[in-house]
């Protein structure tokens, strides 16, 4: 939300990768809190794959980045569910941040 406010744009989706993305509860929570779709790829560990794509691009395995983009596949999309509980959790988080800010300015 801070990024959206800074640049005056709306984040339409969040593409995730890494080991934590296999946790469905965490991904759903991200979607709920951010109020945006969270998209998990079939290949969770994209750091190594990204390096391999760049190496392959350099030696001609792929002609261009568009060919590499075609390799990316969606495993699951988590849609936000702004329940009362999620909204309450966000309010409590904001109160906690305000409290910490108060104590750090003393």
């Amino acid at each position: 939300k801070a990024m959206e406010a800074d640049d005056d744009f709306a984040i339409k989706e969040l593409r995730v990768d890494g080991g934590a993305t296999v946790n469905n509860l965490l991904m759903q929570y991200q979607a709920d809190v951010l109020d945006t779709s969270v998209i998990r790829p079939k290949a969770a560990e994209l750091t190594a794959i990204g390096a391999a794509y760049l190496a392959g691009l350099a030696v001609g395995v792929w002609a261009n980045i568009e060919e590499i983009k075609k390799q990316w596949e969606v495993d699951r999309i988590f849609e936000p569910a702004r329940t009362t509980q999620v909204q309450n959790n966000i309010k409590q988080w904001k109160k906690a941040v305000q409290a910490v800010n108060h104590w750090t300015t003393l």
Side-chain angles (χ1 to χ4, degrees):
K1 296 306 169 191
M3 289 171 51
E4 289 178 330
D6 286 349
D7 287 337
D8 195 31
F9 72 97
I11 296 174
K12 296 176 184 170
E13 65 184 31
L14 176 65
R15 292 186 177 202
V16 297
D17 70 277
T21 64
V22 298
N23 184 323
N24 291 339
L25 179 62
L26 176 61
M27 294 301 97
Q28 184 60 56
Y29 191 72
Q30 290 281 45
D32 294 345
V33 169
L34 297 173
D35 197 25
T36 193
S37 300
V38 172
I39 303 174
R40 178 175 62 201
K42 285 188 177 180
E45 297 296 342
L46 292 180
T47 302
I49 292 171
Y53 283 152
L54 290 174
L57 187 61
V59 298
V61 174
W62 292 282
N64 54 46
I65 292 176
E66 293 308 315
E67 285 187 28
I68 294 171
K69 286 181 181 180
K70 292 177 186 175
Q71 304 294 316
W72 197 88
E73 295 180 87
V74 173
D75 173 51
R76 184 167 171 189
I77 299 174
F78 297 86
E79 296 295 346
R82 291 298 289 242
T83 64
T84 304
Q85 181 62 46
V86 170
Q87 291 173 345
N88 187 48
N89 288 349
I90 292 169
K91 284 180 189 174
Q92 293 301 318
W93 171 255
K94 288 179 180 178
K95 283 176 67 174
V97 169
Q98 287 176 345
V100 169
N101 283 336
H102 171 75
W103 288 106
T104 59
T105 58
L106 294 178

